[in-house]
Amino acid sequence: MDHIRVSKVEQMRLVRSGNNTEYMGTLHLTTHHMIFSAGDLELWIPYPMIHSAVLVRPPRRDSDDNIQAVYTEEQALEGSIRIRCHHFLFVTLRCTDIRRLYDVFATVKHLACVVSLEQLYAFDYRPDTADDAKAVEYDAHAEFRRMGVGVAGSVGQHWRVSEINREFQLCATYPPVVAAPARISDTTLTYAARYRSKARLPVLSYLHPNGVSMTRSSQPMVGLKQARSVQDEKLVEAIVATSEPTGMVPRFRNERNNIIIDARPTTNAVVNRAIGAGSENMDHYRQCRKVYLGIDNIHVMRDALNRLADAA
């Protein structure tokens, strides 16, 4: 609360990028959110979602100090705060009281700079009642049951829930509860994880009502010597088999409707072999074909995103 110079500003003007409509309403600045309301419009912006905020000062008038300068309402509207969010929301704020505009900018500048996780809203939120606490509770087992995982007679009957990652001992970036093919043991999962970068083995992300699944994993540790893992191959084969009524891949079938998607460009996947990683050798993965999406690394994508935002 120490950084909130102003908590409420009336007659604030807001324009969203892509929409030339100017809204006049009330701006509220709380500890964790910036809230703008005007009629039916209510816009909530969490401070951590703000990528940048730029203060555009109006031209100097009667004083060398912009803060002390005296502006008419028309002159004050030449100043603005341009806010760019990580989720492609761009807004411009204007106010007839230039001092109020400066106070809003100073508040946003301080509250958007999070220096510790404890400052985030999730650590500050306290439910009002026990019912509210229950409503926001996430139950991984219930979510998997909702998709039919482990339910006899359903499309997910060939899947099971595993707590192999309890206490995050297997993979630091996976949840404690994961879904794997029912015929694959936890021992096999452990060995398969050793073959994947950062132990991110193939696990279920989504199960469609028609039985087709979407799984995710990191790149395999192939390397220059073309290393392979029988456990990883068996795991992928079992994943493919879960969409079959019998839970087994037909022995004789030439169709390759199961796709391994590598988001990287082909060149990146090949180069990564030099550091012990790489991409799947399709000679060892039955009934599958591989597709490269050609998406560059995070640094190239970030630069592209910044250029796109600058052009908006």
Side-chain angles (χ1 to χ4, degrees), residues 50-55 81-84 105 108-109 112:
I50 296 177
H51 175 275
S52 61
V54 178
L55 175 65
I81 301 174
R82 297 175 182 174
I83 296 176
R84 168 185 163 190
F105 178 76
V108 171
K109 181 179 68 173

Side-chain angles (χ1 to χ4, degrees), residues 34-240:
M34 181 172 66
I35 308 167
F36 179 83
S37 57
D40 295 334
L41 175 67
E42 186 171 281
L43 184 63
W44 289 61
I45 302 178
Y47 295 120
M49 287 299 296
I50 296 177
H51 175 275
S52 61
V54 178
L55 175 65
V56 179
R57 299 176 182 271
R60 295 184 178 182
R61 301 297 180 183
D62 303 329
S63 170
D64 292 336
D65 186 349
N66 269 21
I67 297 179
Q68 299 299 327
V70 177
Y71 295 93
T72 64
E73 291 187 0
E74 291 76 12
Q75 293 169 344
L77 289 175
E78 296 180 28
S80 64
I81 301 174
R82 297 175 182 174
I83 296 176
R84 168 185 163 190
C85 297
H86 291 290
H87 59 314
F88 295 100
L89 174 65
F90 303 87
V91 298
T92 300
L93 298 174
R94 292 186 174 87
C95 183
T96 55
D97 187 337
I98 195 64
R99 290 179 177 80
R100 287 286 192 181
L101 190 71
Y102 291 156
D103 287 340
V104 169
F105 178 76
T107 301
V108 171
K109 181 179 68 173
H110 286 292
L111 296 178
C113 297
V114 177
V115 297
S116 69
L117 288 176
E118 286 70 20
Q119 290 181 250
L120 297 177
Y121 181 61
F123 292 90
D124 190 62
Y125 175 72
R126 296 292 182 272
D128 294 333
T129 66
D131 291 337
D132 289 339
K134 185 177 180 180
V136 299
E137 182 178 337
Y138 174 76
D139 186 345
H141 290 274
E143 286 299 309
F144 282 129
R145 284 196 302 271
R146 179 181 59 82
M147 289 193 291
V149 173
V151 179
S154 72
V155 295
Q157 63 180 338
H158 300 306
W159 291 90
R160 69 178 179 89
V161 175
S162 171
E163 296 186 359
I164 189 174
N165 200 36
R166 182 185 294 273
E167 305 298 332
F168 305 98
Q169 293 179 350
L170 182 67
C171 178
T173 57
Y174 270 12
V177 178
V178 297
R183 63 188 180 96
I184 297 296
S185 67
D186 283 353
T187 302
T188 303
L189 293 178
T190 301
Y191 280 98
R194 298 176 183 176
Y195 184 65
R196 294 285 173 169
S197 174
K198 298 184 179 179
R200 296 170 182 163
L201 74 162
V203 294
L204 180 67
S205 295
Y206 173 70
L207 183 61
H208 193 273
N210 64 6
V212 176
S213 63
M214 179 185 296
T215 58
R216 62 97 60 218
S217 72
S218 61
Q219 62 182 333
M221 307 305 290
V222 178
L224 295 175
K225 295 183 178 180
Q226 290 292 301
R228 58 182 293 193
S229 167
V230 175
Q231 291 82 7
D232 185 79
E233 294 164 17
K234 290 295 183 182
L235 174 56
V236 173
E237 180 181 319
I239 290 173
V240 170

